[in-house]
Amino acid sequence: MIVDMQPEFIVGEYKETTQHFFNGCSRKVFYTEIETPYPDGKLIVSTTSPEGIINHVNKAFVEMSGYTEEELLGAPHNILRHPDMPAVAFKDLWDTILRGEKWQGIVKNLRKDGGYYWVKATVIPNVRAGKVVGYTSVRRKPSRTKVEACIQLYPTLF
Amino acid sequence: MSYLFTVSPDFAPDRLSGWYIFNTWLQKNTFEAIHLELFNNYNKLHDAIGAGKVDLIYANPFDTASLVRNYGFLPLVKPEGLSDEALIAIRADSDTTDVTELIPGTRIALTNDPDVKMIGMMMLEPSDLDAGSIETIPSENYVLVAKHLLRSEAEAGIFLAEAYDNLSALIKNQLKVLVRSQISVIHHALMIGPNFQHKREEILALLTTMHECEKGMGVLNSLGFKGWQKIEDEEMEFMIDLMDTLNTDIL
């Protein structure tokens, strides 16, 4: 279940908004302009159920998200959804992986402390015995040029 | 009839005798005739796999997907505590301090190790560099990658991290590391083919306990391993998925 963010965990001056998801759920989020740089040489890895519920995270995921592993396991993956990310990007993600294809894009993720980090994300369906049993998402350090292009593009997609 | 055992051609040359010692140990303990054949390059290895000749293989992570999904191989073990990591190094006297300072046209020395190349290319992405915007300097081994750097024939080199760490101090003192991967979950794996799988549980039990006796420990030492660790089927599937995600558009 996705829960509202808590102001006491936010570091720095923040804005507030309510996000509405495709499944009818909504969430109050607090976000700042503080960027955490993506660490060199690391990969952030997670897997989810077919419904997008997190069932595995690696250490880099925990470190960059600011949540504990216990808080992440069982939570929906949109716990990382940043309000600056246009919903159309995630619609494209789901449309693509539901066709059984690989999706790739530059994503701004929201941290527990209200800050953010940019990633180059790749999501693939995990097929076992012909059936999709979940999805693996791998994030790596994006090129700054591509991030700057997304900073210009994403506000136009709302 | 003898079974055929092989090792991915990216093995460290100083471990060559270790693999022969390991094969002898394996034959003695399984009471099976196992012939160790080492292929000089990936093309010859892949031909042998395609012809169904290989029964046991210490495989590069890049080959594991095809071995499992196309040829019915199953995982046995991985070396305990060892994962495949790569790094990008340059000459120590270079003014470059960050990988993002590398520009299109940079000459990069590398070997044909597919997973090391993949991880290295991934670490070049933040610089907007890809296979189409760099000049690659193919090298037979990591010592030659270092030599290309020292002779200024290349501005950067992609190394298997373990191979770089094992270079002589004389060479390493003239180089500096720009970025080192910390992926942890990509590793080589000992895998067993369809014709030998009736022995899977027996071999698995032998391998996962071989560090418990002096003789087994000596064999492991000759390979540079502390022990073998069982790979669960799902763990192997997860690594294959991970390799799939990384292999999207890098090479």
Side-chain angles (χ1 to χ4, degrees):
Chain A
M1 191 181 78
I2 195 147
V3 295
D4 289 344
M5 285 177 78
Q6 303 299 311
E8 62 265 35
F9 294 120
I10 307 302
V11 177
E13 204 174 312
Y14 61 83
K15 291 185 215 166
E16 177 183 336
T17 190
T18 300
Q19 293 175 320
H20 301 280
F21 302 114
F22 283 120
N23 61 3
C25 291
S26 60
R27 182 192 193 206
K28 190 181 279 187
V29 296
F30 304 98
Y31 59 106
T32 73
E33 294 303 319
I34 301 171
E35 179 171 7
T36 300
Y38 194 102
D40 286 330
K42 286 198 180 180
L43 286 184
I44 295 174
V45 183
S46 60
T47 59
T48 70
S49 68
E51 296 76 32
I53 303 299
I54 299 170
N55 52 31
H56 167 81
V57 290
N58 73 346
K59 202 174 152 205
F61 189 115
V62 174
E63 285 167 4
M64 286 300 282
S65 71
Y67 290 97
T68 64
E69 188 171 348
E70 292 71 30
E71 288 171 318
L72 292 166
L73 297 179
H77 212 279
N78 53 20
I79 194 172
L80 304 177
R81 180 83 59 93
H82 196 285
D84 289 350
M85 282 300 296
V88 67
F90 295 101
K91 182 176 184 314
D92 180 49
L93 186 161
W94 279 103
D95 287 350
T96 305
I97 59 177
L98 286 173
R99 286 197 303 269
E101 296 168 14
K102 214 175 283 191
W103 181 88
Q104 198 161 71
I106 305 290
V107 178
K108 185 178 189 178
N109 278 337
L110 180 63
R111 288 169 50 89
K112 183 183 179 181
D113 65 8
Y116 67 91
Y117 56 100
W118 284 97
V119 298
K120 177 177 179 178
T122 310
V123 185
I124 61 158
N126 306 130
V127 180
R128 306 286 185 268
K131 195 178 162 204
V132 174
V133 297
Y135 300 99
T136 294
S137 179
V138 180
R139 297 78 158 189
R140 51 194 199 247
K141 187 170 184 168
S143 116
R144 204 65 214 176
T145 319
K146 293 199 171 74
V147 169
E148 295 300 334
C150 291
I151 290 171
Q152 300 301 314
L153 173 70
Y154 287 167
T156 69
L157 300 178
F158 282 88
Chain B
M1 173 197 154
S2 79
Y3 293 101
L4 193 144
F5 171 39
T6 190
V7 177
S8 182
D10 58 358
F11 67 87
D14 55 346
R15 299 296 179 199
L16 178 65
S17 60
W19 287 110
Y20 280 99
I21 294 166
F22 175 71
N23 190 51
T24 304
W25 178 90
L26 205 54
Q27 290 187 89
K28 270 188 192 162
N29 286 277
T30 58
F31 305 102
E32 295 284 355
I34 303 170
H35 168 63
L36 174 63
E37 185 163 347
L38 300 173
F39 299 98
N40 291 334
N41 58 55
Y42 285 98
N43 288 340
K44 285 183 181 163
L45 171 69
H46 294 158
D47 286 348
I49 293 169
K53 290 179 181 167
V54 176
D55 300 303
L56 198 62
I57 177 171
Y58 183 65
N60 185 295
F62 224 82
D63 285 331
T64 53
S66 163
L67 287 165
V68 170
R69 293 187 178 162
N70 301 332
Y71 297 105
F73 276 71
L74 293 172
L76 287 167
V77 288
K78 63 182 177 183
E80 194 187 327
L82 282 186
S83 58
D84 288 22
E85 303 287 355
L87 60 81
I88 296 174
I90 57 173
R91 279 175 66 111
D93 57 7
S94 165
D95 293 335
T96 303
T97 57
D98 190 282
V99 73
T100 56
E101 294 167 28
L102 299 177
I103 57 172
T106 296
R107 292 171 300 170
I108 298 185
L110 40 74
T111 68
N112 65 355
D113 280 8
D115 60 319
V116 175
K117 183 179 174 190
M118 182 188 75
I119 300 169
M121 294 303 291
M122 189 181 77
M123 291 191 293
L124 289 173
E125 279 184 329
S127 325
D128 282 317
L129 296 180
D130 57 28
S133 59
I134 59 170
E135 187 186 333
T136 54
I137 312 287
S139 314
E140 284 283 307
N141 56 53
Y142 293 107
V143 173
L144 290 177
V145 172
K147 282 187 178 167
H148 285 305
L149 290 176
L150 298 180
R151 292 179 189 147
S152 296
E153 292 158 354
E155 286 87 29
I158 297 174
F159 290 85
L160 173 70
E162 190 189 355
Y164 181 87
D165 293 338
N166 289 330
L167 291 173
S168 72
L170 184 68
I171 294 178
K172 272 193 291 186
N173 286 343
Q174 298 175 74
L175 300 174
K176 66 178 173 187
V177 176
L178 279 185
V179 55
R180 178 189 284 257
S181 73
Q182 299 170 68
I183 298 173
S184 307
V185 286
I186 296 176
H187 53 76
H188 279 55
L190 189 64
M191 308 185 68
I192 193 162
N195 296 330
F196 207 9
Q197 278 167 13
H198 58 284
K199 286 275 188 178
R200 186 186 186 199
E201 290 307 317
E202 184 189 328
I203 294 175
L204 191 58
L206 282 169
L207 294 171
T208 51
T209 55
M210 71 183 286
H211 63 281
E212 291 170 5
C213 73
E214 201 176 331
K215 204 166 223 174
M217 200 65 224
V219 176
L220 286 165
N221 282 340
S222 66
L223 292 172
F225 301 162
K226 282 187 286 186
W228 291 109
Q229 198 176 351
K230 183 183 178 186
I231 304 174
E232 300 293 343
D233 290 353
E234 180 51 33
E235 183 190 350
M236 177 56 70
E237 291 289 344
F238 176 70
M239 190 175 85
I240 291 169
D241 284 340
L242 192 62
M243 295 299 285
D244 274 353
T245 62
L246 293 175
N247 195 21
T248 307
D249 56 0
I250 291 178
L251 300 176

